Amino acid sequence: RLRLHDGKLIKDRRYHLRTYPNCFVAKELTDWLIDHKEAPDRETGIRLMQKLMDHYIIHHVCDEHSDYKDAKLLYRFRKDDGTFPLSKDVKVFMRGQSLYEKLVSMEESILKVREENSVKYQRTFLGCEMIDWLVQEGEAENRKEAVELGRALLEHGIIQHVSNRHHFFDSDILYQFWINFRRRCRLTELLNENSSRTLSESPDSPFCLRKLNPDPGNTSFLSVQTNKEIKIVSAVRRSSITSLAGNSNPYFSTAPTLVFPPVAECNPKSVLKRPVTNEELLSPGAPYVKKTLTIVGDAVGWGFVVRGGRPCHIQAVDPGGPAAAAGMKVCQFVFSVNGMYALHLDYQTISSLIMTGPRTLVMEVMESIE
């Protein structure tokens, strides 16, 4: 948007005796995207601008077109006409960006390269240092408000504990900015985003559960995409990993095959009756109770599947596995994994934490008391 303003592509334009401020011509913008290597061809340029329309970043000046058309039509950035929707997520992101820019512009910034456990981390700061700075700079009225701001930044993935084990505290724990706001993302990266709606609603979602081997004793949960490519999901059974890697495992009498017999899809859609937000889970008096589960993996894993994100929930539990024995149930929400706050994480991150963590898994979950 700023580059288009500098290049005079965004300007006041007159059409049918009416002046439209701060707008651009779609066809001219598509030309600009190609000329400036932001898109390899017109089709990609159109897809990129449609993505911006879908995210309420640009719109037709009269809202007469819901699609981006590569024609002599006038469109405008919503930030230029005050119609950009400032949701809570957007406000926190913009606050984080503002704080980051202020910090990196200072001569004696608290953001430094620091080392912990022989690992160097970029853009780091101590929690108490950040609290001091926020109060001194007037970004927060007191330390309590500063902690709340830090927690909001962490829950939105803007900052994090360097080893992902702690929420934000007023202490000498080391944190870092997870987002480098000065890295200019290319527009084409938008086309690589996964749609959360597709993941949760598509019948071909990688979280449609099928069994690798129809043997009654095999309760390994695997996911299968339409191309029959096998991917391990969430906290699945470890036998799946070793078998697919070609290691011998007495759990399978024969090597796994990629040819699947007709089987019924299990849980192709979310088991939740309705979406639940973090605010709803954490609000005072909410009908949810927190439980701590200690799950000791057996010879083949833990036996459950996580799905969704922000918050994630338990989608399926192997009735004969360690998770079920520890008291895990479907529809529980993942509050923490091995001491790391997890309500703000997506299923990929939680899956990675579980699969790369210790065999004894400690999870805090929240379940409805209804």
Side-chain angles (χ1 to χ4, degrees):
R1 169 176 160 269
L2 296 177
R3 293 168 69 197
L4 294 175
H5 273 287
D6 290 341
K8 305 302 181 184
L9 264 77
I10 294 179
K11 58 185 179 181
D12 296 351
R13 298 174 185 270
R14 193 167 179 81
Y15 182 73
H16 284 181
L17 303 179
R18 180 178 175 183
T19 299
Y20 296 90
N22 294 321
C23 58
F24 60 86
V25 179
K27 188 175 185 303
E28 291 180 6
L29 181 54
T30 309
D31 293 337
W32 184 91
L33 290 172
I34 296 173
D35 293 342
H36 289 77
K37 311 298 182 185
E38 292 288 352
D41 49 53
R42 304 195 77 81
E43 180 184 357
T44 304
I46 294 169
R47 289 171 59 206
L48 286 170
M49 291 301 103
Q50 184 61 50
K51 197 80 169 178
L52 296 187
M53 288 195 73
D54 294 341
H55 285 279
Y56 300 100
I57 294 173
I58 64 174
H59 68 126
H60 180 256
V61 291
C62 297
D63 290 319
E64 293 177 353
H65 301 279
S66 59
D67 296 331
Y68 180 83
K69 301 181 183 297
D70 186 22
K72 291 184 177 180
L73 295 174
L74 300 180
Y75 291 82
R76 183 188 291 131
F77 278 84
R78 290 187 178 274
K79 287 197 76 172
D80 284 331
D81 62 11
T83 61
F84 184 67
L86 288 176
S87 65
K88 180 181 178 182
D89 289 345
V90 172
K91 289 179 180 178
V92 173
F93 184 88
M94 293 176 68
R95 185 73 185 278
Q97 183 177 25
S98 172
L99 293 174
Y100 182 85
E101 290 293 339
K102 193 171 181 179
L103 282 165
V104 297
S105 300
M106 296 174 63
E107 290 187 7
E108 296 294 329
S109 175
I110 61 172
L111 296 188
K112 299 176 182 177
V113 177
R114 290 181 173 91
E115 187 174 309
E116 184 172 284
N117 296 328
S118 302
V119 178
K120 287 187 176 181
Y121 297 96
Q122 304 287 332
R123 305 181 296 278
T124 69
F125 56 89
L126 299 178
C128 54
E129 283 183 339
M130 177 62 81
I131 299 297
D132 292 340
W133 181 83
L134 289 171
V135 174
Q136 290 169 7
E137 295 294 318
E139 296 289 347
E141 291 187 4
N142 50 55
R143 301 189 78 82
K144 180 182 178 181
E145 184 179 305
V147 170
E148 291 175 353
L149 174 56
R151 289 191 162 228
L153 295 175
L154 187 143
E155 290 170 9
H156 285 77
I158 296 170
I159 65 173
Q160 67 170 20
H161 177 247
V162 291
S163 57
N164 277 331
R165 293 190 177 276
H166 298 285
H167 208 311
F168 185 77
F169 296 102
D170 184 0
S171 67
D172 58 356
I173 297 176
L174 190 61
Y175 300 89
Q176 69 178 152
F177 269 86
W178 181 240
I179 298 177
N180 180 0
F181 287 100
R182 290 202 167 181
R183 172 185 173 267
R184 190 177 75 83
C185 300
R186 299 196 67 81
L187 276 175
T188 49
E189 293 180 35
L190 285 173
L191 300 180
N192 297 325
E193 286 185 336
N194 289 323
S195 168
S196 58
R197 179 177 179 181
T198 301
L199 284 171
S200 62
E201 297 180 2
S202 168
D204 295 324
S205 162
F207 289 86
C208 295
L209 304 179
R210 299 181 175 91
K211 292 182 179 180
L212 175 64
N213 190 332
D215 179 78
N218 182 359
T219 54
S220 298
F221 286 119
L222 292 178
S223 68
V224 183
Q225 294 179 316
T226 52
N227 61 1
K228 303 302 182 187
E229 176 188 359
I230 296 179
K231 290 188 176 182
I232 308 303
V233 299
S234 304
V236 297
R237 311 287 271 172
R238 284 183 180 166
S239 62
S240 307
I241 304 172
T242 54
S243 300
L244 291 174
N247 298 332
S248 61
N249 191 319
Y251 195 69
F252 290 113
S253 57
T254 57
T257 173
L258 298 188
V259 179
F260 288 79
V263 292
E265 288 189 3
C266 125
N267 298 321
K269 294 184 179 180
S270 172
V271 295
L272 299 179
K273 294 181 180 179
R274 62 177 182 82
V276 176
T277 64
N278 285 337
E279 289 76 11
E280 184 177 347
L281 283 176
L282 301 176
S283 62
Y288 295 94
V289 62
K290 188 190 299 183
K291 294 184 177 180
T292 301
L293 308 178
T294 301
I295 308 167
V296 181
D298 60 16
V300 291
W302 299 273
F304 68 96
V305 173
V306 177
R307 185 176 173 182
R310 303 180 181 183
C312 289
H313 64 273
I314 304 302
Q315 172 72 11
V317 180
D318 176 1
M328 181 172 284
K329 302 173 184 177
V330 297
C331 297
Q332 290 174 333
F333 296 95
V334 181
F335 184 86
S336 71
V337 177
N338 292 328
M340 178 187 169
Y341 181 78
L343 284 181
H344 65 294
L345 301 178
D346 55 26
Y347 62 83
Q348 296 103 324
T349 305
I350 289 182
S351 301
S352 177
L353 287 173
I354 294 171
M355 298 302 293
T356 59
R359 194 177 191 82
T360 298
L361 175 65
V362 179
M363 290 181 63
E364 288 182 296
V365 297
M366 300 185 73
E367 70 176 31
S368 173
I369 59 177
E370 298 176 350

